[in-house]
Amino acid sequence: MNPDDDVIIIGAGIGGLAFALALQRAGVPFRIYESAPELKPLGVGLNLLPHAIKALTDLGLQKRLLAKGVETREYSFYTRHGQHVYSEPRGMFAGYDWPQISIHRGDLHSVLLEAVKERCGADKVVLDHKCVAVEQDETGVTVRFDNGKGETLAPQRGAIAVACDGVHSVLRRQHHPKEAVPRYEGTTQYRGTTRLQPFLSGASMAYLGTYETGKLIIYPIRNNIDAEGRQLVNWVIELSKPNDQLLRDWNRQCSVDEFIANFEDWRFDWMDVPAVLRAADSIYEYPMVDQDPLPFWTVGRTTLMGDAAHPMMPRGSNGAAQAIIDGITLAPMLAARDDWPAVLKDYEAQRLKATGDVVLANREIAPDAVLRVVHERTGGQPFRDIADVISRDELVQWQERYRKVAGFAADDLRKAD
Ligand SMILES: Cc1cc2nc3c(=O)[nH]c(=O)nc-3n(C[C@H](O)[C@H](O)[C@H](O)COP(=O)(O)OP(=O)(O)OC[C@H]3O[C@@H](n4cnc5c(N)ncnc54)[C@H](O)[C@@H]3O)c2cc1C
């Protein structure tokens, strides 16, 4: 095998590793270069919706993911007063052919990395290689690297380069140097994990409140983490606030003092929210930013994938899902044809608009849109009976609308088979 024929993957995050597994399955040679000197299980929780699990099942990973994460049973919606608005089943409990899995990003990353090592060899992911530029000519690409400390490393040659290097993508900047700065929605997200006894169904994802007064999303991501049967529970807070820094750093830690005042009176019979937030292992801050969809991703023998291609607000569990679906889409196309620059253009044609629609939809509608409707109709005050505020039919319609927009309506997924 001539290494010059390889696909060069830049970035061994969720998208890069899933793409690697899809290439391996399709029999396409590749190498991965990652800037981090060590791959650690970073981040907190995320949700893999049925369309993501469908793709990961194709890669033979469903069992491993279920063993690490929690199969989400239901979504439950509550007002900031703890009043129940609506619950609905999820994943296979809702009749999908695939489960929905809530999981620590580090566990998802480890499952993908272990599978790459098992199937392709432990040396397949080359660490400490930070891409700084990509050049190309008629026959291939030359990817330039340094070690993150300014020392230049040997350039690497391949047939094409796919940038899976996340929200600060070097290739994206190279091809779109005048792109506008990220767009801030006006809300900031705080994310953390707390060790807790199971709450509600033991596999519920609960949404509470709206972002003006404070919004909380909380769900378990690991079962039975100790002898008392506690779970690792992920929580996310969204709060309106001015933010002129917009630091897109997934590892930026902050203190509970940033937001706890908004939640001091959130004490319900099924959860003492301030106690949960105070007991967090660690807390991270991330601004709710995205970027307008790009006019193109592919230039000759190079293209973008995952967050490098379509950074979206971390809402609605679609960032990881869309990155995984990108890779699952491109790999068999590369296996089927030799004219790879044209294949990269076809991949762009299949995925650019589809993912751009998700970026834009994330601005318009959130999974908990029903809570906004209830907030507006009640003026944020407690209600006597939810039926006085919104009918059951309307609640169902809001949820179905969101599923369509986010790309995981059950019928649409089956049609895609
Ligand atoms: C450390 C970290 C923690 C995260 N935590 C969460 C979380 O808790 N919840 C959540 O919803 N999302 C989180 N995300 C984002 C989430 O993983 C992505 O939105 C989503 O999975 C899409 O995956 P991706 O592969 O496109 O990007 P990412 O998963 O971000 O992967 C990008 C990879 O590229 C590497 N890289 C970056 N620049 C270069 C370069 N110049 N050369 C080579 N390699 C490079 C990065 O180190 C990383 O491994 C996190 C991302 C990171 C990197």
Side-chain angles (χ1 to χ4, degrees):
M1 281 279 185
N2 181 352
D4 287 6
D5 295 336
D6 285 2
V7 175
I8 295 201
I9 304 176
I10 305 164
I14 305 300
L17 292 174
F19 181 42
L21 291 170
L23 287 174
Q24 186 269 340
R25 192 181 55 158
V28 178
F30 66 91
R31 306 194 306 278
I32 316 179
Y33 294 91
E34 160 63 43
S35 60
E38 195 187 342
L39 285 178
K40 298 186 197 152
L42 297 172
V44 286
L46 46 79
N47 241 271
L48 294 168
L49 300 172
H51 57 337
I53 296 295
K54 180 182 184 210
L56 292 164
T57 303
D58 290 347
L59 294 176
L61 300 175
Q62 189 187 128
K63 256 197 196 152
R64 294 185 192 197
L65 294 167
L66 279 169
K68 295 259 184 190
V70 175
E71 184 175 358
T72 309
R73 174 177 281 274
E74 62 166 13
Y75 274 19
S76 284
F77 300 92
Y78 293 82
T79 68
R80 51 108 43 237
H81 307 288
Q83 290 187 291
H84 182 246
V85 171
Y86 181 62
S87 292
E88 63 171 19
R90 280 281 157 155
M92 295 176 86
F93 299 99
Y96 280 83
D97 296 338
W98 301 273
Q100 174 168 336
I101 300 177
S102 301
I103 191 165
H104 195 291
R105 179 189 178 272
D107 289 342
L108 169 62
H109 194 242
S110 307
V111 165
L112 293 168
L113 183 60
E114 286 313 309
V116 169
K117 286 182 178 168
E118 276 167 33
R119 296 173 195 180
C120 315
D123 55 354
K124 203 67 183 177
V125 181
V126 183
L127 299 174
D128 225 354
H129 272 63
K130 180 175 178 231
C131 169
V132 290
V134 183
E135 292 157 15
Q136 55 181 311
D137 53 44
E138 297 258 300
T139 58
V141 291
T142 303
V143 185
R144 303 208 170 269
F145 296 97
D146 73 24
N147 64 356
K149 297 178 206 95
E151 289 163 32
T152 304
L153 303 173
Q156 298 295 327
R157 194 80 190 146
I160 57 171
V162 179
C164 304
D165 50 348
V167 290
H168 301 292
S169 172
V170 167
L171 189 66
R172 181 181 178 116
R173 204 164 48 242
Q174 189 176 313
H175 290 321
H176 299 277
K178 298 203 172 121
E179 194 183 1
V181 292
R183 171 189 164 280
Y184 182 50
E185 192 206 34
T187 56
T188 288
Q189 194 176 74
Y190 303 92
R191 301 166 299 131
T193 51
T194 303
R195 290 140 209 272
L196 275 188
Q197 286 298 333
F199 62 91
L200 297 176
S201 70
S204 300
M205 183 155 173
Y207 284 81
L208 298 93
T210 60
Y211 58 75
E212 292 93 342
T213 54
K215 169 166 144 183
L216 171 70
I217 305 155
I218 186 161
Y219 52 94
I221 54 174
R222 276 184 201 147
N223 282 320
N224 281 321
I225 56 166
D226 58 22
E228 287 119 68
R230 288 191 298 177
Q231 296 175 312
L232 188 68
V233 168
N234 187 70
W235 49 262
V236 183
I237 278 168
E238 281 178 32
L239 211 53
S240 290
K241 80 165 212 186
N243 188 337
D244 50 15
Q245 293 192 24
L246 301 187
L247 292 174
R248 289 189 297 171
D249 174 0
W250 290 107
N251 295 321
R252 189 165 166 230
Q253 294 207 21
C254 72
S255 151
V256 74
D257 298 334
E258 296 273 341
F259 51 83
I260 193 72
N262 290 68
F263 299 92
E264 288 294 10
D265 61 344
W266 287 38
R267 293 193 169 83
F268 313 129
D269 53 1
W270 57 277
M271 183 171 290
D272 181 338
V273 173
V276 170
L277 302 181
R278 284 204 167 86
D281 295 326
S282 46
I283 303 173
Y284 302 92
E285 175 174 351
Y286 197 85
M288 293 295 271
V289 290
D290 64 12
Q291 282 168 262
D292 287 336
L294 289 174
F296 62 89
W297 297 344
T298 299
V299 176
R301 294 177 169 272
T302 66
T303 198
L304 307 173
M305 183 174 280
D307 279 357
H310 40 73
M312 57 185 71
M313 280 186 286
R315 163 188 293 155
S317 321
N318 240 325
Q322 296 300 331
I324 293 163
I325 295 169
D326 287 345
I328 288 269
T329 305
L330 177 55
M333 294 168 75
L334 291 169
R337 284 163 47 193
D338 294 333
D339 53 340
W340 282 4
V343 169
L344 296 185
K345 266 289 169 204
D346 289 350
Y347 150 75
E348 175 184 304
Q350 277 201 37
R351 295 295 298 155
L352 189 143
K353 173 153 187 338
T355 53
D357 286 351
V358 178
V359 172
L360 299 178
N362 261 354
R363 295 178 184 174
E364 297 299 316
I365 181 166
D368 53 352
V370 285
L371 289 178
R372 166 134 305 282
V373 177
V374 171
H375 177 83
E376 280 164 8
R377 292 187 191 172
T378 58
Q381 297 304 310
F383 51 75
R384 268 200 331 198
D385 184 341
I386 187 63
D388 300 337
V389 182
I390 184 167
S391 70
R392 175 99 194 153
D393 282 353
E394 204 184 339
L395 285 166
V396 172
Q397 278 162 20
W398 271 104
Q399 290 312 103
E400 190 50 34
R401 190 174 151 207
Y402 178 73
R403 275 191 283 273
K404 278 261 174 224
V405 167
F408 68 105
D411 288 348
D412 295 348
L413 283 189
R414 288 196 193 99
K415 266 185 248 150
D417 271 340

